[in-house]
């Protein structure tokens, strides 16, 4: 069994948020509190500690009392850049990742992904969601990985590839389907923000 004390949570708050007008998504109010506070509340019960990956408003994020790390590339390279610095900063055997803008992420994310990782001795396990119409969608930014995947990811990024699913294919990876389609809903537009506030009221 993978224990909470062996997991570090990584909150990805380093994106440009172009569809939200370029504002920092982690700081957008959700039920009158910055979105990132929902992610912190969900992850702090599932992990030993938390790291925040951000590329702006560093002082504000640091105010939550957790280490804040920036991408090593200056061009908002996407989640794999966040994974990379997260793995380098991680002091536990496992890293659990989540974006800052999915406030309804499952309370048992670490437990479910961890059980699958142990079942098949996988290197990385990511979440998938089943929508109301039965379609299954990969949710690759929600994943649990072994911290010793750092070299693999570094080598992958050196090839200039930023596609998250291509890196997963190089690993012994698996996925777990979560039946709640709202669990991984994220905020890309003001309308989505309003909708998520309504379903979580």
């Amino acid at each position: 069994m993978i224990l909470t004390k062996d997991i570090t949570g990584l909150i990805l708050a380093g994106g440009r948020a172009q569809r939200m007008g370029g504002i920092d998504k982690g700081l957008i109010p959700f039920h009158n509190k910055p979105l990132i506070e929902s992610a912190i509340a969900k992850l702090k019960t599932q992990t030993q500690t938390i790291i925040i990956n951000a590329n702006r408003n560093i002082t504000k994020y640091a105010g939550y009392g957790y280490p804040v790390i920036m991408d090593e590339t200056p061009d908002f390279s996407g989640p794999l850049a966040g994974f990379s610095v997260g793995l380098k900063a991680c002091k536990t055997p496992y890293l659990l990742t989540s974006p800052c803008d999915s406030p309804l992420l499952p309370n048992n994310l670490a437990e479910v992904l961890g059980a699958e990782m142990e079942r098949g001795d996988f290197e990385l396990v990511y979440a998938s969601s089943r929508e109301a119409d039965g379609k299954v969608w990969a949710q690759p930014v929600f994943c649990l990985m072994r911290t010793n995947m750092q070299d693999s990811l570094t080598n992958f990024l050196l090839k200039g590839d930023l596609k998250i699913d291509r890196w997963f294919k190089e690993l012994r990876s698996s996925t777990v389907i979560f039946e709640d389609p709202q669990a991984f809903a994220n905020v890309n537009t003001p309308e989505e923000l309003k909708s998520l506030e309504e379903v979580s009221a």
Side-chain angles (χ1 to χ4, degrees), residues 157-175:
L157 292 172
L158 283 172
K159 293 187 286 190
D161 203 336
L162 297 171
K163 294 286 187 187
I164 197 167
D165 55 329
R166 285 190 202 148
W167 181 51
F168 287 6
K169 282 175 184 169
E170 293 189 1
L171 308 176
R172 293 194 314 276
S173 61
S174 181
T175 191

Side-chain angles (χ1 to χ4, degrees), residues 29-166:
F30 177 77
H31 293 307
N32 302 312
K33 291 181 179 176
L35 258 175
I36 195 167
E37 292 189 17
S38 297
I40 290 171
K42 292 276 189 170
L43 287 187
K44 72 179 181 183
T45 60
Q46 304 185 55
T47 61
Q48 168 71 19
T49 188
I50 287 172
I51 299 169
I52 299 171
N53 167 228
N55 291 312
R56 48 188 169 159
N57 295 308
I58 306 301
T59 307
K60 282 185 180 174
Y61 285 123
Y64 290 105
Y66 299 106
V68 180
I69 54 175
M70 296 178 69
D71 293 351
E72 292 176 339
T73 48
D75 51 357
F76 294 89
S77 300
L80 287 184
F83 285 12
S84 179
V85 291
L87 284 169
K88 288 173 184 174
C90 186
K91 302 284 197 297
T92 57
Y94 300 94
L95 184 70
L96 178 70
T97 67
S98 169
C100 65
D101 62 341
S102 297
L104 309 183
L105 71 101
N107 292 316
N108 63 346
L109 183 67
E111 179 186 347
V112 172
L113 298 184
E116 174 68 4
M117 180 169 275
E118 290 205 297
R119 182 194 67 77
D121 190 31
F122 293 109
E123 294 170 321
L124 182 148
V125 178
Y126 62 94
S128 291
S129 59
R130 194 187 309 278
E131 300 299 312
D133 61 5
K135 277 188 185 166
V136 173
W137 294 92
Q139 305 286 351
V141 288
F142 299 87
C143 65
L144 181 70
M145 67 189 86
R146 297 181 189 270
T147 309
N148 62 8
M149 291 299 97
Q150 183 186 324
D151 287 348
S152 167
L153 180 52
T154 298
N155 292 333
F156 180 81
L157 292 172
L158 283 172
K159 293 187 286 190
D161 203 336
L162 297 171
K163 294 286 187 187
I164 197 167
D165 55 329
R166 285 190 202 148

Side-chain angles (χ1 to χ4, degrees), residues 20 23 25 27-35 101 103 186-200:
M20 289 291 281
I23 54 179
K25 281 207 278 189
L27 303 176
I28 295 171
F30 177 77
H31 293 307
N32 302 312
K33 291 181 179 176
L35 258 175
D101 62 341
N186 68 325
V187 174
N188 286 312
T189 65
E191 293 74 28
E192 287 173 349
L193 179 69
K194 186 168 182 287
S195 172
L196 278 184
E197 283 190 320
E198 287 169 359
V199 299
S200 61

